[in-house]
Amino acid sequence: MMVGSANSVMDIDEEILAPGRFDVMIPVFPPNLAERSEIILYFMTKNLDEDSLLFKILKHNKADKIPFWHGVSSQMKTFSNTMLIDFTQSLKENKKSISENQK
């Protein structure tokens, strides 16, 4: 079995798509609103200790629940899973540097 990926089917050389080569194409779409919200929440809280400042901030703002992230997720319609994970890591790093600068 061989697996390949491309951003666009139109950009793939037609020789690669010749019969007997890549006969099955499975489209993969960006996550929907609910999935984006779940991904963001999961990666925002992944490996986060309940005693950590970030977890306390999330809980205080009700950002430890999926509905909090629907507003943000609705503006991220074309974000891939990787882009969503990068977003959460960026938020965590930003929070970390703000905390370190306040010490």
Side-chain angles (χ1 to χ4, degrees), residues 21 42 60 69 98:
R21 294 193 177 155
Y42 175 79
H60 176 76
W69 297 103
I98 289 171

Side-chain angles (χ1 to χ4, degrees), residues 8-43:
S8 169
V9 177
M10 296 177 67
D11 295 335
I12 300 174
D13 187 316
E14 62 185 53
E15 291 299 317
I16 292 174
L17 299 176
R21 294 193 177 155
F22 286 95
D23 292 334
V24 178
M25 289 190 210
I26 303 170
V28 178
F29 300 99
N32 65 32
L33 175 72
E35 293 165 340
R36 290 190 302 270
S37 297
E38 289 177 32
I39 291 168
I40 292 171
L41 177 60
Y42 175 79
F43 283 99

Side-chain angles (χ1 to χ4, degrees), residues 6-7 9 17 22 24 29 31-32 37 40-42 44 49 59 66-67 70 75 78 84 91 93 98-99 103:
N7 291 334
V9 177
L17 299 176
F22 286 95
V24 178
F29 300 99
N32 65 32
S37 297
I40 292 171
L41 177 60
Y42 175 79
M44 283 300 295
D49 191 279
K59 192 168 181 82
I66 290 174
H70 286 329
Q75 298 176 36
T78 60
L84 293 168
L91 285 178
E93 286 299 316
I98 289 171
S99 294
K103 289 181 182 180

Side-chain angles (χ1 to χ4, degrees), residues 51-67:
D51 292 331
S52 71
L53 180 59
L54 179 55
F55 188 80
K56 289 176 183 178
I57 291 169
L58 292 171
K59 192 168 181 82
H60 176 76
N61 291 290
K62 297 185 173 89
D64 61 332
K65 306 280 188 259
I66 290 174

Side-chain angles (χ1 to χ4, degrees), residues 80-99:
S80 67
N81 294 359
T82 304
M83 292 169 77
L84 293 168
I85 294 167
D86 289 346
F87 168 76
T88 63
Q89 300 314 300
S90 175
L91 285 178
K92 284 179 155 181
E93 286 299 316
N94 190 353
K95 164 42 194 101
K96 184 178 175 183
S97 39
I98 289 171
S99 294

